[in-house]
Amino acid sequence: MRIRIDHSTRYAYARPARFIVQMLRLTPKSCESQQVRDWRIETDVDARLRRSEDAFGNIVHSLYTERPTDALTIRVTGEVSTVETGGVVKGQAERLSPIVYLRDTPMTKADAGIVDFARSIPEGATLGRMHQLMGALKDTVAFEVGSTSASHTAAEAFAQKRGVCQDHSQIFISAARLLGVPARYVSGHLSRQDGRHDQDAAHAWAEAWVENLGWVGFDPANGICPTEHYVRVAVGLDARGATPIRGTSYGGGQEQLTVALNVRPVQQSQQQLQSSGWPR
């Protein structure tokens, strides 16, 4: 399928910021499961955008403003063609050994609760254990918007038994690593099938390393492996390593953030335009 993504992030400052530095992990890569057909990043102020790749192989744009700025909008638009691969990541060049993804971070460090939870997963082949882990996690930790913040750790979210996709993903990663399975965080987009194209935030899930298969995606928030409705953008050891936008401003005082995101199938968008008689 073809998926259209329109993503806008606006920062407004109480007074002009002297300069702003941002690291943008907003651009997906092509592989067997997805082909990037068109992708653009734009800003509404004078700024430099320098493209590079980080240690994990993510496309990164470094943004630097050129003059005092009281507001900054970063717009991302693009289309990606996707195919069903059963959650298996194919054709993606990997810079690092899977062993790297056994390393804990402060965001994914397990406490006694997660240790007990991981130990409850029955022995067996890695792929089957990861499916059981995903199912058990979905049953144990409720999805509840607003129950956590971006700074919540896996242990904190697990202790309160509720969270959002970031929390589900980091708990999965924490438990998988305890079981000796390399696991990583994935940020991206999900084209929902319930007709809701306007979304509050990007999506997140996890990937686990399975011998003879490679990296396999698991979305414990929804209890499924990623399908053709998913677009992978960036990976990392945890949410901080794959966050779409991270940076700082100098001066500016209090900051107000507004995000608008629309993810939809291209075919449906075209049908709506035709039914409305556009273009004329």
Side-chain angles (χ1 to χ4, degrees):
M1 66 184 297
R2 286 176 62 180
I3 298 173
R4 169 82 179 185
I5 297 163
D6 293 289
H7 190 185
S8 174
T9 304
R10 178 177 173 80
Y11 297 88
Y13 303 96
R15 56 182 180 276
R18 293 195 299 276
F19 61 94
I20 303 166
V21 179
Q22 299 277 17
M23 302 297 289
L24 313 179
R25 291 178 179 85
L26 296 168
T27 304
K29 278 186 166 183
S30 294
C31 60
E32 287 188 28
S33 61
Q34 62 183 37
Q35 291 293 318
V36 181
R37 302 174 64 94
D38 177 53
W39 202 264
R40 289 173 303 214
I41 298 179
E42 301 172 322
T43 66
D44 62 349
V45 301
D46 290 333
R48 288 179 291 162
L49 278 175
R50 186 179 66 189
R51 175 171 166 152
S52 62
E53 290 190 7
D54 64 14
F56 300 102
N58 302 314
I59 296 174
V60 178
H61 287 86
S62 302
L63 182 151
Y64 309 90
T65 57
E66 301 282 352
R67 61 186 65 181
T69 304
D70 58 10
L72 165 66
T73 300
I74 302 168
R75 295 188 182 93
V76 176
T77 58
E79 289 185 9
V80 180
S81 294
T82 62
V83 296
E84 173 64 61
T85 62
V88 180
V89 180
K90 299 179 179 180
Q92 179 71 61
E94 296 290 342
R95 288 190 170 190
L96 302 174
S97 165
I99 296 174
V100 171
Y101 296 96
L102 286 170
R103 189 176 73 190
D104 272 332
T105 70
M107 297 291 287
T108 60
K109 186 174 179 60
D111 65 355
I114 295 180
V115 170
D116 290 342
F117 174 68
R119 288 175 177 170
S120 73
I121 305 303
E123 296 287 343
T126 300
L127 182 61
R129 293 193 89 188
M130 294 300 98
H131 277 285
Q132 290 190 64
L133 173 60
M134 176 173 65
L137 178 52
K138 187 176 188 302
D139 291 340
T140 303
V141 180
F143 185 90
E144 185 177 317
V145 175
S147 59
T148 57
S149 69
S151 63
H152 270 69
T153 67
E156 290 169 339
F158 187 79
Q160 67 181 30
K161 298 297 187 291
R162 59 186 186 275
V164 294
C165 58
Q166 170 180 309
D167 306 298
H168 285 86
S169 301
Q170 292 192 139
I171 296 168
F172 180 98
I173 291 166
S174 179
R177 290 172 182 166
L178 285 170
L179 298 175
V181 179
R184 64 190 183 186
Y185 188 94
V186 186
S187 64
H189 299 288
L190 171 60
S191 178
R192 297 175 55 140
Q193 300 179 63
D194 60 3
R196 289 188 57 188
H197 304 316
D198 290 321
Q199 302 178 20
D200 297 325
H203 195 49
W205 58 97
E207 289 175 352
W209 177 260
V210 179
E211 291 293 338
N212 301 320
L213 277 179
W215 289 105
V216 181
F218 296 89
D219 180 3
N222 289 303
I224 62 171
C225 290
T227 66
E228 73 274 16
H229 294 272
Y230 288 67
V231 175
R232 296 172 78 254
V233 176
V235 301
L237 293 171
D238 57 21
R240 290 177 178 172
T243 189
I245 301 178
R246 190 175 184 183
T248 188
S249 61
Y250 296 85
Q254 187 173 2
E255 174 185 288
Q256 182 178 1
L257 173 65
T258 306
V259 176
L261 174 63
N262 185 281
V263 183
R264 63 193 184 277
V266 172
Q267 295 88 340
Q268 178 167 341
S269 176
Q270 291 174 337
Q271 290 170 0
Q272 289 173 341
L273 291 175
Q274 291 169 359
S275 64
S276 66
W278 191 94
R280 291 186 173 91

